[in-house]
Amino acid sequence: MTLLLKLAMRGERVRSAAWILTVVMLGAGLVSYIQGYFTTPEALRAYARVISTNPIFLGLGGPVTEPSVGAMAAWRSGGLLFLLTAWMALTIVIRHTRAEEESGQQELMLSGAIHRAAPLTAALVIAAVTALLAGSLTSAVLIAVGMEAAGSLAYGAAITAAGWVFAAVGAVVAQLVRTARSATTLGLLVLGGSYVLRYAGDASGVSLLTWVSPLGWSHLVRPYAADRWWVLIVSLVATGLLLVLAYGLSARRDLDSGLLPVRPGPATGPCLKGPFSLAWRLQRGLLAKWAAGVTAAAALFAGLSGVAPRLAQQPGRVLEAFLQRYGGPSGDPVDAYLWIIVLLLAYTVALYPVLATLRLHQEEHSGHAEALLSTAVGRLRWAAAHLVLGALGTAALLALGGFVTGLVHTLSMDEPAVGRMLLAALEHVPAAWLVGACAAFAVAVLPRVSVALSWAVWGVVVVVGDLLGPLIGLWGWSRIEPFHYTPNTVSGEPFSGTPPAVILALTALLTTAALIRLRNRDLG
């Protein structure tokens, strides 16, 4: 058991440290933002009134019962920090259980004097400690900058509780399916469903939806306001029940198998005419899932665009800040809200080319690429197939998101918007391609750390971007990410061809360098 813990800690020391640092920085950054921007109690109360009368804002972090700096900062960052910590714990458990079992490492370890449940226990301990550190360090930093101790401790405990619950979720899904990819997909579906339930409950005022959401339990603690510590009992009980279920399922299944039956493949093999048809077969499932998610998200947020005009009735400073950041030349609250939807879709879809490109790393690591390249297929055709399909899929997802946003807004507001929303979404394609090109360069040049580097690039782009960066006090940092240079044409900014041309040139340069390196280096 001690050896397994040491091995897991060694593998997680950099990755988990980055997760923890992100959580702590976001928590402290939001406090700095609130303190710097809302300098008077009147401004805080005005901001709280805006939140209380807007379903979109209520869904982001729940109701604000006390207009204090701590409560407002927790409202701003809580939804994100709970989500990030839960995601972190979920992936840690799957990585050190199902992924190691799939690779054969766990079978090798279990051939020694190690109990069958030891790998699962070690993974859970690492995930629990990491979540505890994220919550504890966030509390310590907030107390150090002058926040109330009781509220800071409640906030940190809520962050930790979200991680513990989803560590247990990861332990359960790792027993159900055979592959780490399937376990991760299933776990993220649970996480996404939990977020949607919590968002819908807070936005609509139906508290039952929030109570049935595991992420909602952390929100219901209400740090710096009610400080309801007793709600954490629900998280602890749920964690315990899920762990009992996970260990019970683990004892009932065979090694390298899942409890859910594996769907058999077709009786005859597919007609694969080359690397492009193979890459399409490998990536079509991912694209279909993303298309469904983008459609649902675009329809949901566009359907709420009718509440944007209410912003014009809110106190001056809040409306002024909102329109200054997102309103563009038109200064229309509806246009500003539609531009936020486009930004949200763009930053999210930028992850798709990263995942599509990392398929190259997965094929190389599993040995599938070596078997394929032993035939008449060349390296450049193999790599180009995945990169081209990833690029086309990115453009298709952004076009789909823009079209759905414009269509739903047109139907709900009786205001034609399909054409301009479609064009606004497609303007972000070069920036998303550049994020994917960075992932391709990492896979080709630094394959051992390519996964971490690719995720880090996307994470930095999102954190410092125009959507999240200003909210956490990272003023000016957005200049280092490509989406910053896409004009807000929804609100009337003129389009310029120079920024996308430069971004496309950088994309071509990185992609070419990646292909040259892939052609010359040893695989594996």
Side-chain angles (χ1 to χ4, degrees):
M1 181 65 183
T2 303
L3 177 61
L4 290 177
L5 285 173
K6 289 181 179 180
L7 289 173
M9 290 174 63
R10 180 177 177 82
E12 290 294 329
R13 65 186 186 276
V14 176
R15 190 181 291 125
S16 293
W19 276 101
I20 293 171
L21 182 62
T22 301
V23 171
V24 174
M25 288 181 61
L26 287 173
L30 263 296
V31 171
S32 175
Y33 170 81
I34 296 295
Q35 289 177 330
Y37 200 84
F38 299 96
T39 55
T40 65
E42 291 76 15
L44 283 173
R45 283 194 292 269
Y47 192 32
R49 285 196 297 270
V50 172
I51 295 169
S52 301
T53 57
N54 193 313
I56 299 171
F57 290 163
L58 283 173
L60 291 176
V64 177
T65 56
E66 180 178 332
S68 64
V69 172
M72 299 303 296
W75 173 84
R76 277 278 193 176
S77 62
L80 180 60
L81 298 195
F82 300 150
L83 184 67
L84 287 177
T85 308
W87 190 352
M88 171 188 69
L90 175 75
T91 53
I92 286 175
V93 172
I94 293 175
R95 189 160 48 245
H96 291 284
T97 53
R98 176 52 62 183
E100 291 190 354
E101 190 172 333
E102 184 182 1
S103 67
Q105 297 179 24
Q106 194 170 117
E107 183 177 6
L108 181 63
M109 290 187 293
L110 292 176
S111 64
I114 297 178
H115 192 272
R116 169 70 181 269
L120 176 58
T121 303
L124 288 168
V125 169
I126 295 298
V129 171
T130 304
L132 180 61
L133 286 173
S136 301
L137 290 176
T138 302
S139 296
V141 170
L142 293 179
I143 293 173
V145 298
M147 301 304 296
E148 179 189 353
S152 300
L153 292 174
Y155 193 22
I159 293 172
T160 299
W164 286 2
V165 171
F166 278 90
V169 170
V172 173
V173 297
Q175 315 307 318
L176 298 178
V177 291
R178 186 175 181 182
T179 65
R181 176 186 291 271
S182 299
T184 303
T185 301
L186 187 57
L188 291 179
L189 284 175
V190 175
L191 180 59
S194 178
Y195 184 86
V196 170
L197 280 174
R198 200 277 313 160
Y199 188 102
D202 286 334
S204 64
V206 181
S207 60
L208 178 62
L209 295 177
T210 305
W211 276 103
V212 298
S213 166
L215 283 178
W217 302 332
S218 291
H219 281 266
L220 289 167
V221 173
R222 302 283 185 254
Y224 300 106
D227 290 341
R228 296 189 289 190
W229 287 84
W230 60 268
V231 178
L232 297 176
I233 298 175
V234 180
S235 298
L236 294 177
V237 171
T239 301
L241 293 175
L242 288 171
L243 291 180
V244 171
L245 177 61
Y247 280 104
L249 295 177
S250 176
R252 289 176 175 269
R253 68 176 181 86
D254 293 331
L255 192 66
D256 197 28
S257 67
L259 290 171
L260 296 180
V262 178
R263 185 178 62 180
T268 58
C271 181
L272 299 178
K273 298 181 180 180
F276 279 89
S277 59
L278 176 59
W280 166 248
R281 183 172 179 83
L282 293 173
Q283 294 196 19
R284 64 185 182 182
L286 178 67
L287 181 61
K289 294 171 185 175
W290 271 81
V294 166
T295 301
L300 172 64
F301 290 114
L304 296 172
S305 60
V307 303
R310 298 182 191 176
L311 289 172
Q313 305 171 6
Q314 301 302 331
R317 177 153 189 175
V318 176
L319 177 62
E320 180 184 346
F322 179 79
L323 295 181
Q324 182 179 5
R325 187 174 302 132
Y326 304 114
S330 71
D332 186 348
V334 176
D335 289 344
Y337 177 69
L338 291 175
W339 179 244
I340 290 176
I341 297 178
V342 172
L343 286 177
L344 178 63
L345 291 174
Y347 284 116
T348 304
V349 171
L351 180 60
Y352 176 80
V354 172
L355 298 178
T357 302
L358 287 178
R359 185 76 198 199
L360 290 171
H361 174 76
Q362 295 167 5
E363 293 293 294
E364 179 182 354
H365 185 68
S366 65
H368 296 164
E370 185 177 2
L372 178 65
L373 295 175
S374 65
T375 65
V377 177
R379 292 190 183 192
L380 293 183
R381 290 178 63 204
W382 164 70
H386 286 276
L387 296 180
V388 169
L389 287 176
L392 294 176
T394 302
L397 289 173
L398 284 171
L400 177 64
F403 175 78
V404 172
T405 300
L407 179 62
V408 173
H409 178 73
T410 300
L411 295 175
S412 61
M413 298 288 291
D414 195 23
E415 177 183 278
V418 174
R420 62 178 179 140
M421 296 307 299
L422 179 60
L423 291 175
L426 288 175
E427 288 168 3
H428 289 87
V429 169
W433 282 353
L434 181 57
V435 177
C438 292
F441 186 81
V443 169
V445 178
L446 299 167
R448 295 187 62 182
V449 294
S450 58
V451 176
L453 282 178
S454 300
W455 277 89
V457 168
W458 176 75
V460 169
V461 167
V462 172
V463 169
V464 305
D466 286 333
L467 192 62
L468 184 59
L471 300 181
I472 59 177
L474 297 178
W475 305 98
W477 284 88
S478 58
R479 293 186 180 88
I480 69 173
E481 60 92 8
F483 292 99
H484 173 74
Y485 299 96
T486 303
N488 182 358
T489 55
V490 175
S491 298
E493 286 187 12
F495 177 79
S496 173
T498 302
V502 173
I503 292 173
L504 287 174
L506 290 174
T507 301
L509 180 63
L510 287 172
T511 303
T512 301
L515 291 174
I516 292 174
R517 179 57 180 162
L518 274 174
R519 185 184 63 180
N520 295 327
R521 74 168 173 83
D522 293 334
L523 292 181

